[in-house]
Amino acid sequence: MGGLLDAREPSAELRALLEADADDYTWVAATVGSNNASGYQLATREPVMPIGGFNGSDPSPTLAQFQRYVADGQIHYFIGGGGFRANGGSNASAEIAAWVAENFTAQTVDGVTVYDLGSGEQG
């Protein structure tokens, strides 16, 4: 069951994964939509990047900006799912999610798809 506004409340295993080496990153994770990000941020008390604003339709960050953050080692994980892209808007969040899925190896932790962006390994 979700927390605030049905934000996902991560399991203890996922929370531990996100908290590991948190001090080495600007953001422990990134995910589409601020509502989705909020559950992870509240549970870990660590910064989580909300891609695309509230519903994932804002053009922030752009794919190029996100790629730079990853290259600079600022984001540890990308969490799949989230966001609902209502009423049009930018495709930046979809572009970012597709780029991550094409370039990094997915793992599933308690039913949640997670990509390790900090590993340097692109699959």
Side-chain angles (χ1 to χ4, degrees), residues 57-99:
S57 65
D58 290 338
S60 179
T62 65
L63 176 58
Q65 289 170 324
F66 187 82
Q67 289 169 327
R68 173 56 53 202
Y69 295 142
V70 172
D72 290 347
Q74 295 186 51
I75 307 168
H76 197 173
Y77 294 101
F78 180 83
I79 302 168
F84 50 84
R85 295 204 19 84
N87 300 319
S90 170
N91 289 324
S93 61
E95 292 170 355
I96 290 168
W99 176 78

Side-chain angles (χ1 to χ4, degrees), residues 17-20 25 27-31 66 75-79 107 114-118:
L17 180 74
L18 296 177
E19 291 170 342
Y25 298 91
W27 296 278
V28 296
T31 191
F66 187 82
I75 307 168
H76 197 173
Y77 294 101
F78 180 83
I79 302 168
Q107 63 179 311
V114 180
Y115 300 85
D116 186 349
L117 307 179

Side-chain angles (χ1 to χ4, degrees), residues 95-122:
E95 292 170 355
I96 290 168
W99 176 78
V100 169
E102 291 170 7
N103 291 284
F104 293 89
T105 303
Q107 63 179 311
T108 302
V109 180
D110 290 334
V112 177
T113 303
V114 180
Y115 300 85
D116 186 349
L117 307 179
S119 69
E121 296 180 23
Q122 295 189 22

Side-chain angles (χ1 to χ4, degrees), residues 1-9 34-36 38-39 42:
M1 185 58 63
L4 176 69
L5 296 175
D6 291 327
R8 180 177 288 269
E9 187 173 328
S34 60
N35 191 44
N36 195 37
S38 68
L42 289 170

